[in-house]
Amino acid sequence: MRTLVWLLVVGLFALLSIALSQLGVLDPVKNGALTVASPLARGLRAVASPAADFFDNVADRQNLEDENRLLRQQIEELTAEIASLKEDELIAGDMAALAEVEESRPDDEFLVARVIARDPSNLKERLAIDCGSDDGISEGMVVMSEGGSLVGVASKVLDDFAWVTLITDSNSNVNAMVLESRAQGVVSGSLHGGLSMDLIPQDAEVEPGNAVTTSGLGGTFPQALLIGQVLSVRGDPQDVFKKAEVEPAANLSRLENVLVLTSFTATHLTSP
Amino acid sequence: MRYLLFVPLILFVALAQVATAPYFPLLGVTANPLLVLLMCWAMVRGPRETMILIPLAGIFKDLITSDPVGASALALLPIVPLAAMRERWPTESEFVPTLAVVAAASLSYDVLYMIVLTAVGDGPPWLQSPLRVLLPAALFNALITPIVYLPVRWATTLSEMVRPGMRVPG
């Protein structure tokens, strides 16, 4: 009987808290809790980091060997490409394409933010940054790695902090394009933090190693932000669409600092 | 008085989980040491203390993650009835049932958590979740149970020796 009463009381209290949380009533409390907890969490992470690196190395040995093989192959390909590009250097086409990308975002403004936490849930891929609405961040702003590739979107913004939903989150969808063939598709996250590009037209040429960028369609992301690289392509000839596995360009599990694109405002298109 | 020690300990474990668990994945998932500790606690010392600790730990964890506040408290609720069931059917060995209830608590935690996420419009893919998250997480949590169970058992035995009048169930 005592257990039943406890279950009812705590269950109702939890449901009420969830409702209040969804209404944003508890956001100041969350902001305060993160202010207190983030330095402690950073300290704990610093202590745990060497152990995490050790386990990473043990677990990733086979991956490292594969990656090494792939990188050697890529070096060879890139060297050949560089030789070819040197000849084309004087051709204005490439220069024009570069200028086009720059012109498409002439007034980009960034805010540098530090990653302070990562959501421990197995069902979400999110991280917290130490900038919030007081710093000019609003929901929907695009977040990039220091190298300039796409990381995710600010999905929950508190006064001094923001939670960023990574592109690898199972609810994340990004309109994307294969740079080499201009083939368009949608890059989606999955439960294990991988990326896949769906809805690629069957006749599109997509090969491992191709770069995948945002297409800008839908207005949620700016155009030509690097997402990653095609790892493999799947799909039978009779399928309507192909599917590609994509490796994120940024190391999303070890981000320390990110750039928030404050000058880009996402537009949410509604059907006519 | 004892809660002056227990509450900070549980809050520390919640904080440590949030800060470090994502960096130690196994089978593609991260462990939930807070759930394992609370379950072991309820099994060794009885569910009474965990009735206080569960709401505190759940709310604190939600405050420092992106979860809606209350989601973890709700998802941790089955720990108490699971421990109460164990009290009703006592067995000779205490450790083996603990492994089983940790796995059960892990599964129920994830299912309740997914229901909350779905209700707030942030739902994960339900069809993929059982094989990709629920079962590996239950296995991972069961694997770390001995690391948590033994200190809880030792600490409880020690406290019984210091205070022989205190009766600890289990």
Side-chain angles (χ1 to χ4, degrees):
Chain A
M1 186 64 189
R2 189 187 63 187
T3 306
L4 195 65
V5 172
W6 178 84
L7 281 173
L8 275 172
V9 171
V10 179
L12 285 172
F13 174 71
L15 289 173
L16 182 68
S17 302
I18 291 167
L20 291 174
S21 188
Q22 286 308 104
L23 293 170
V25 177
L26 298 174
D27 283 357
V29 187
K30 277 197 137 192
N31 193 64
L34 271 171
T35 306
V36 175
S38 61
L40 298 170
R42 205 163 38 242
L44 283 168
R45 214 165 28 250
V47 171
S49 187
D53 287 342
F54 173 77
F55 284 112
D56 253 8
N57 290 338
V58 171
D60 280 357
R61 194 180 159 182
Q62 184 57 46
N63 288 346
L64 284 172
E65 282 177 8
D66 293 344
E67 196 177 327
N68 193 23
R69 203 175 303 119
L70 188 70
L71 284 172
R72 281 171 188 276
Q73 191 186 334
Q74 282 176 356
I75 287 168
E76 196 180 329
E77 286 169 10
L78 286 171
T79 311
E81 199 177 327
I82 287 167
S84 165
L85 280 174
K86 275 182 180 168
E87 284 183 19
D88 294 342
E89 213 170 30
L90 297 172
I91 301 171
D94 285 346
M95 298 302 290
L98 262 176
E100 193 184 319
V101 174
E102 281 180 7
E103 279 168 17
S104 68
R105 299 204 304 269
D107 303 318
D108 277 355
E109 284 173 22
F110 299 101
L111 184 70
V112 180
R114 192 160 56 169
V115 176
I116 55 157
R118 200 180 164 86
D119 200 300
S121 164
N122 289 317
L123 299 161
K124 293 190 283 184
E125 290 284 330
R126 288 185 197 168
L127 47 85
I129 55 174
D130 65 350
C131 293
S133 56
D134 287 353
D135 304 288
I137 294 182
S138 55
E139 282 180 18
M141 278 187 176
V142 173
V143 180
M144 299 155 66
S145 69
E146 286 175 304
S149 57
L150 184 63
V151 165
V153 175
S155 54
K156 175 80 182 170
V157 181
L158 304 171
D159 290 345
D160 304 309
F161 303 94
W163 283 96
V164 177
T165 298
L166 301 182
I167 50 173
T168 46
D169 186 272
S170 60
N171 285 318
S172 163
N173 293 300
V174 183
N175 284 317
M177 179 175 73
V178 176
L179 199 61
E180 285 79 358
S181 63
R182 319 296 285 179
Q184 300 207 342
V186 177
V187 169
S188 309
S190 69
L191 277 176
H192 275 188
L195 279 181
S196 61
M197 185 169 176
D198 295 303
L199 305 176
I200 306 169
Q202 186 57 248
D203 58 349
E205 282 184 25
V206 182
E207 289 170 5
N210 286 174
V212 179
T213 66
T214 53
S215 67
L217 278 178
T220 317
F221 295 92
Q223 200 179 7
L225 274 182
L226 181 65
I227 296 173
Q229 197 176 35
V230 174
L231 277 179
S232 61
V233 185
R234 280 188 284 145
D236 295 324
Q238 66 269 24
D239 292 342
V240 182
F241 296 109
K242 282 184 197 174
K243 186 174 182 174
E245 298 301 316
V246 177
E247 185 178 32
N251 185 354
L252 298 174
S253 59
R254 287 299 167 97
L255 286 170
E256 289 182 8
N257 295 298
V258 290
L259 303 170
V260 185
L261 188 54
T262 53
S263 54
F264 176 80
T265 313
T267 50
H268 296 284
L269 299 179
T270 51
S271 47
Chain B
M1 187 65 189
R2 58 193 160 171
Y3 288 103
L4 285 177
L5 177 68
F6 296 164
V7 173
L9 173 70
I10 285 290
L11 298 187
F12 175 78
V13 172
L15 179 66
Q17 177 176 332
V18 172
T20 62
Y23 301 97
F24 297 96
L26 184 73
L27 307 168
V29 294
T30 56
N32 191 340
L34 181 65
L35 173 129
V36 177
L37 175 61
L38 287 166
M39 193 71 250
C40 290
W41 196 304
M43 291 293 280
V44 174
R45 300 177 63 90
R48 182 186 283 261
E49 288 167 352
T50 48
M51 286 177 160
I52 304 289
L53 298 174
I54 282 172
L56 291 174
I59 296 289
F60 177 71
K61 181 171 166 277
D62 291 339
L63 284 174
I64 56 172
T65 62
S66 65
D67 296 333
V69 179
S72 296
L74 195 67
L76 289 168
L77 285 186
I79 286 176
V80 171
L82 281 169
M85 274 166 56
R86 159 79 180 86
E87 276 189 337
R88 201 168 286 184
W89 289 290
T91 51
E92 266 187 39
S93 161
E94 192 179 65
F95 178 65
V96 177
T98 304
L99 282 179
V101 290
V102 163
S106 175
L107 288 172
S108 60
Y109 178 96
D110 283 332
V111 170
L112 283 169
Y113 183 67
M114 283 166 65
I115 290 171
V116 172
L117 289 185
T118 305
V120 299
D122 205 7
W126 277 82
L127 286 177
Q128 296 171 20
S129 301
L131 279 179
R132 290 196 158 189
V133 174
L134 269 65
L135 292 174
L139 188 63
F140 194 0
N141 287 329
L143 278 174
I144 65 163
T145 298
I147 302 168
V148 180
Y149 174 85
L150 291 174
V152 173
R153 178 77 265 175
W154 288 333
T156 304
T157 311
L158 197 68
S159 69
E160 280 173 46
M161 285 162 65
V162 173
R163 295 169 62 190
M166 191 178 107
R167 190 184 163 273
V168 177

